[in-house]
Amino acid sequence: MSTHGEMAMTETGQATAASAADTLPEPPARPNGKVKTLGEPIVTVEQVHKSFHGNHVLKGVSLTVRQSEVVVIAGRSGSGKSTLLRCIDRLETIDDGRIVACGNLMGFRETNGRRVALRDHEIARQQREMGMVFQNFNLFPHISVIDNITVAPIRIKKVPRAQAREEARALLERVGLPEKENAYPRQLSGGQQQRVAIARALAMKPQVLLFDEPTSALDPEMIAEVLDVMVDLSHQGMTMIVVTHEMGFARAAADRVLLMHEGSIVEDAPPEDFFTKPTSDHTRAFLSKILQH
Amino acid sequence: MNWSWSYFFEYLTNGLMLQGAWTTVWLSVVSMAIGLGLGIVAALMKMYGNRALRYVAEFYIWLFRGTPILIQLVIIYTGLPQIGIRLSVIEAAILGLALNEGAYLAEIIRAGIMAVDKGQDDAGRALGMTWRERMWIVILPQATRTIIPPLGNQFNGMLKTTSLASVISMEELMRNAQMLAQIEFRVLEVYIVAAVWYLVLVTIWHQIQLRIEAHYEKPFGPAAAVASEGERELAKAVRAAGATNT
Ligand SMILES: Nc1ncnc2c1ncn2[C@@H]1O[C@H](COP(=O)(O)OP(=O)(O)OP(=O)(O)O)[C@@H](O)[C@H]1O
Ligand SMILES: [Mg+2]
């Protein structure tokens, strides 16, 4: 990851994103030559609270993520990072607050100011707009790599089989595993499995990708191959919320870095500010701990 | 010494015995298939149902695992007519065997579903699958792999348990042996022949079972053939959950 340099932020893109695309001013180029424009808010988390059996895990978390933005979330074990991601994708219910993602109020329908809980298939339809990549990959072990990637498009989106397979092959190419389509997950290394998991998520053409410590379960020599794919995705404008302690990735690809501490977001800054002039003592403590290693 | 080889060989190929053996086979298959359906439904109700469905499933499992199948068969065939429910011998035998089997299979299936990693369900949900889609596409196919070995043992048990249907005069292997025994009083020969037939059926089934198990190992790729320590523990637990009936 040391090859990825620092990047300038594109504040102008954010400020004018609400207007129509053709009236946008030319956004400044990044050091790597890519141009990045942040769009409208696509994920909005407002004052979300979540407890597990009296254990208050999210304490009024608010967060806005714009289209094409890459947000990295760091924080100690148990600070609520996974819970936040899982609430955004409605893998967990929330106790209070609201989450709007890809235009959907997650888990509810609002009629005349009253909230009605959505039913199973309606929630599933909301979840289709987002993809999630897990720490332990969670590939389906009983089906081959290509079936892992095509099963949801074919069975859920009713994409024709031939088309789904063609798209899956293109995705495998994109994550650098073109020759593995007939392998089974257990025949792959951790890094390869995680890249298949990313391809599986992409196959549903999600508007947002959520990553929960995607490299934490990997041997050190496999971390780079996964991060490279993620950096690539960020360059192609994918909106990403990434829980990770890979600060090299944060420097290379993040627009903002957040620190969670005991269920609250205590720092929210562009990477260079996060690393050089943090405002929170918790961030300083976190950074000094990271730098020791 | 009053053992007659000629009676023994006569019974071995006797039409009544062959017919009985055939009845034992199809009665087992049909009862098992229906029991499997009942078991899946009961397991899903118990695991995912609302309170009412859960209680219904638990009551069913408790009732049929807690009483002897002999009493269940007798109540269904000779007891129920008293309240106006009249079933033929075949209907009563299938119903009794299937209800009893379903209660045992429910617990085996439940253990098999619980053995599937929670992350699999998360992955299905993150892809936008409904509960039903996750069950059919992700969870049940994986649970199958843990369920298949105890399921095979249950069918082995079923082949022999069908002999109890003889008490409601279901004309399977045991019943037909009893009838032959009453004709010529060659009791030892006829029951030994019946025992031999059960052995033959169970042995054939064992060969089929091995093939089915090999088939269900395959989809997980060659590496999976070497089960990890944890998986062997799980498989053992699943087997224990479905300790054989009768
Ligand atoms: N399903 C659950 N049931 C009960 N408690 C839970 C559950 N999930 C998380 N928790 C608790 O919520 C708290 C926050 O957990 P969470 O997984 O969100 O932390 P995290 O920041 O992702 O930590 P890590 O870096 O270890 O992954 C922890 O105390 C955890 O024990
Ligand atoms: Mg976590």
Side-chain angles (χ1 to χ4, degrees):
Chain A
M1 286 308 299
S2 54
T3 54
H4 298 289
E6 297 260 334
M7 286 179 191
M9 290 298 104
T10 58
E11 290 303 329
T12 48
Q14 288 189 22
T16 56
S19 50
D22 52 347
T23 64
L24 282 177
E26 197 65 15
R30 295 187 146 207
N32 60 8
K34 300 269 180 198
V35 172
K36 183 153 185 181
T37 315
L38 298 185
E40 301 197 30
I42 191 164
V43 175
T44 314
V45 178
E46 288 170 33
Q47 286 301 314
V48 165
H49 288 265
K50 171 71 183 175
S51 300
F52 290 108
H53 319 291
N55 176 13
H56 203 170
V57 175
L58 296 181
K59 299 172 183 164
V61 172
S62 296
L63 166 69
T64 301
V65 178
R66 292 164 173 275
Q67 228 151 29
S68 293
E69 197 169 20
V70 177
V71 173
V72 162
I73 304 176
R76 286 219 298 253
S77 177
S79 56
K81 308 178 298 292
S82 298
T83 306
L84 176 59
L85 276 196
R86 293 172 61 83
C87 286
I88 292 172
D89 204 11
R90 191 46 181 68
L91 297 181
E92 303 283 357
T93 55
I94 58 176
D95 300 334
D96 199 9
R98 52 188 273 141
I99 296 173
V100 178
C102 310
N104 298 314
L105 175 64
M106 296 305 289
F108 299 96
R109 178 180 32 234
E110 239 165 17
T111 31
N112 311 328
R114 275 189 42 236
R115 277 188 180 191
V116 185
L118 291 180
R119 297 193 329 198
D120 185 44
H121 70 275
E122 298 168 310
I123 291 169
R125 201 171 307 134
Q126 294 185 330
Q127 288 169 324
R128 256 163 249 177
E129 302 297 324
M130 281 179 278
M132 186 132 169
V133 175
F134 301 88
Q135 182 172 353
N136 296 317
F137 331 131
N138 294 344
L139 290 178
F140 304 133
H142 59 301
I143 54 180
S144 66
V145 162
I146 190 126
D147 288 340
N148 264 273
I149 299 171
T150 57
V151 67
I154 291 173
R155 301 283 290 269
I156 293 156
K157 268 190 161 177
K158 312 295 177 200
V159 175
R161 192 181 164 78
Q163 184 191 335
R165 288 179 77 88
E166 198 175 307
E167 287 173 4
R169 289 197 187 96
L171 285 170
L172 280 173
E173 193 91 40
R174 194 160 151 195
V175 300
L177 293 168
E179 76 287 4
K180 294 293 184 192
E181 67 171 79
N182 292 318
Y184 281 84
R186 291 194 198 190
Q187 296 168 303
L188 303 181
S189 71
Q192 292 172 330
Q193 288 191 53
Q194 193 61 297
R195 286 185 280 153
V196 172
I198 293 172
R200 177 177 70 174
L202 288 172
M204 288 297 275
K205 303 193 168 69
Q207 302 184 44
V208 179
L209 268 187
L210 311 174
F211 293 81
D212 191 1
E213 305 208 31
T215 57
S216 299
L218 300 179
D219 292 336
E221 69 270 20
M222 291 168 187
I223 291 176
E225 68 190 45
V226 172
L227 291 179
D228 284 346
V229 169
M230 291 167 61
V231 170
D232 249 27
L233 283 172
S234 77
H235 288 165
Q236 287 157 24
M238 176 58 77
T239 310
M240 296 161 61
I241 306 177
V242 184
V243 171
T244 184
H245 288 159
E246 290 294 331
M247 290 302 122
F249 173 78
R251 283 176 195 279
D255 298 297
R256 284 153 63 201
V257 184
L258 275 51
L259 189 84
M260 279 199 83
H261 183 78
E262 291 179 359
S264 304
I265 294 173
V266 296
E267 186 88 41
D268 181 348
E272 58 268 45
D273 292 354
F274 185 93
F275 293 114
T276 57
K277 42 182 180 196
T279 57
S280 162
D281 288 341
H282 299 304
T283 315
R284 275 187 281 276
F286 173 79
L287 287 172
S288 70
K289 211 168 164 196
I290 291 259
L291 293 177
Q292 279 170 15
H293 298 304
Chain B
M1 171 88 178
N2 186 15
W3 167 265
S4 159
W5 282 108
S6 65
Y7 271 112
F8 175 82
F9 286 113
E10 201 278 310
Y11 288 142
L12 208 50
T13 53
N14 182 289
L16 211 52
M17 293 302 274
L18 293 180
Q19 209 173 25
W22 168 241
T23 302
T24 291
V25 169
W26 72 251
L27 180 62
S28 298
V29 171
V30 171
S31 304
M32 192 72 186
I34 298 173
L36 191 57
L38 287 170
I40 291 175
V41 171
L44 294 180
M45 276 168 66
K46 186 169 171 178
M47 293 183 79
Y48 303 100
N50 58 26
R51 186 186 292 243
L53 290 177
R54 227 163 49 227
Y55 282 159
V56 169
E58 272 167 23
F59 177 76
Y60 160 64
I61 293 167
W62 171 77
L63 185 67
F64 281 88
R65 275 168 54 120
T67 53
I69 179 150
L70 202 51
I71 293 185
Q72 293 164 17
L73 285 167
V74 170
I75 288 178
I76 289 170
Y77 183 62
T78 40
L80 289 186
Q82 213 172 308
I83 55 167
I85 302 171
R86 236 166 271 278
L87 297 175
S88 71
V89 171
I90 292 176
E91 287 164 353
I94 291 174
L95 185 66
L97 290 166
L99 280 170
N100 182 266
E101 191 61 32
Y104 283 89
L105 293 182
E107 292 297 277
I108 291 174
I109 291 161
R110 196 170 71 95
I113 290 173
M114 287 196 307
V116 177
D117 180 28
K118 169 81 174 53
Q120 293 292 308
D121 193 56
D122 284 343
R125 288 203 292 160
L127 288 168
M129 295 183 187
T130 60
W131 178 81
R132 196 186 293 246
E133 287 161 343
R134 298 198 302 277
M135 275 299 135
W136 285 113
I137 299 172
V138 179
I139 310 289
L140 287 178
Q142 292 184 59
T144 303
R145 184 168 170 253
T146 4
I147 291 169
I148 285 287
L151 206 62
N153 295 343
Q154 286 297 115
F155 188 70
N156 175 311
M158 174 66 90
L159 283 167
K160 294 169 290 186
T161 304
T162 51
S163 63
L164 293 176
S166 61
V167 297
I168 57 168
S169 68
M170 178 75 196
E171 292 179 2
E172 38 65 69
L173 193 49
M174 178 66 189
R175 173 77 178 180
N176 288 4
Q178 284 170 343
M179 291 196 294
L180 281 179
Q182 274 157 24
I183 296 169
E184 288 156 320
F185 302 103
R186 283 287 166 181
V187 178
L188 185 60
E189 287 84 349
V190 81
Y191 285 122
I192 295 247
V193 164
V196 166
W197 269 111
Y198 279 111
L199 278 170
V200 168
L201 295 182
V202 164
T203 305
I204 293 172
W205 168 245
H206 182 68
Q207 293 306 314
I208 297 173
Q209 188 182 348
L210 289 179
R211 251 159 247 205
I212 294 175
E213 282 174 23
H215 174 80
Y216 275 95
E217 282 295 329
K218 232 175 4 192
F220 288 71
V226 191
S228 72
E229 190 67 29
E231 281 172 335
R232 275 199 298 273
E233 287 302 314
L234 269 177
K236 228 190 281 172
V238 170
R239 230 164 275 156
T244 189
N245 41 343
T246 62

